[in-house]
Amino acid sequence: MKSINLKQKLSAFKDHWHPHQIAVVDDMQILLAKIKDEFVWHLHEGEDELFQVLKGTLYMQFRNKTVEVNPGEIIVVPKGIEHCPATRNGEEVHLMLFEKLSTSHTGNVRDTLTKTHYPKI
């Protein structure tokens, strides 16, 4: 048991769209990610996802609307809802994500951005 310094953990990697695991709570993993530009449209059939914005502005795109999520705010994407995280104007956004260990990175889609392993930092 020890505290986790999010700034230190975020400084340990540079890759965009490649989450890093910082903790596990029961069957949930806590991930840090750096994102830039647009991701992949996808959905998770059996898992919800929670995104907390640490730095920058996340634009969570849904087929019928886009939700702006600012630092200090969260958004929950319910299972089965197609979504596409994005940033604007080349901004790098830092996120903390909470999701089940079973959650696949790009859900029902396989793409060049799909990761099958999250490094533990």
Side-chain angles (χ1 to χ4, degrees):
M1 292 181 291
K2 62 181 181 175
S3 64
I4 298 171
N5 185 301
L6 299 180
K7 286 184 182 181
Q8 284 179 342
K9 297 294 184 182
L10 283 161
S11 70
F13 66 96
K14 294 182 182 179
D15 295 339
H16 295 127
W17 303 112
H18 193 173
H20 287 62
Q21 187 185 87
I22 60 167
V24 174
V25 180
D26 291 328
D27 67 342
M28 301 288 292
Q29 59 186 336
I30 314 307
L31 305 166
L32 291 178
K34 294 179 180 179
I35 66 170
K36 186 175 178 180
D37 302 320
E38 190 171 276
F39 195 46
V40 177
W41 280 97
H42 67 285
L43 62 87
H44 304 279
E45 301 269 343
E47 302 96 4
D48 300 330
E49 286 183 293
L50 184 148
F51 296 77
Q52 178 180 1
V53 177
L54 303 173
K55 175 187 165 191
T57 302
L58 168 66
Y59 294 89
M60 186 61 73
Q61 302 173 108
F62 301 100
R63 289 298 181 185
N64 63 340
K65 67 180 176 178
T66 297
V67 177
E68 183 176 312
V69 189
N70 295 296
E73 296 179 342
I74 66 170
I75 187 167
V76 175
V77 178
K79 61 182 147 247
I81 301 295
E82 192 176 24
H83 60 287
C84 180
T87 71
R88 292 191 180 155
N89 303 317
E91 178 182 36
E92 180 178 83
V93 173
H94 296 178
L95 302 173
M96 186 160 41
L97 299 97
F98 299 77
E99 60 187 33
K100 287 185 180 179
L101 288 165
S102 61
T103 303
S104 173
H105 188 224
T106 52
N108 64 332
V109 173
R110 292 296 164 256
D111 185 88
T112 57
L113 292 175
T114 301
K115 305 297 181 209
T116 56
H117 171 72
Y118 300 141
K120 294 177 170 81
I121 57 171

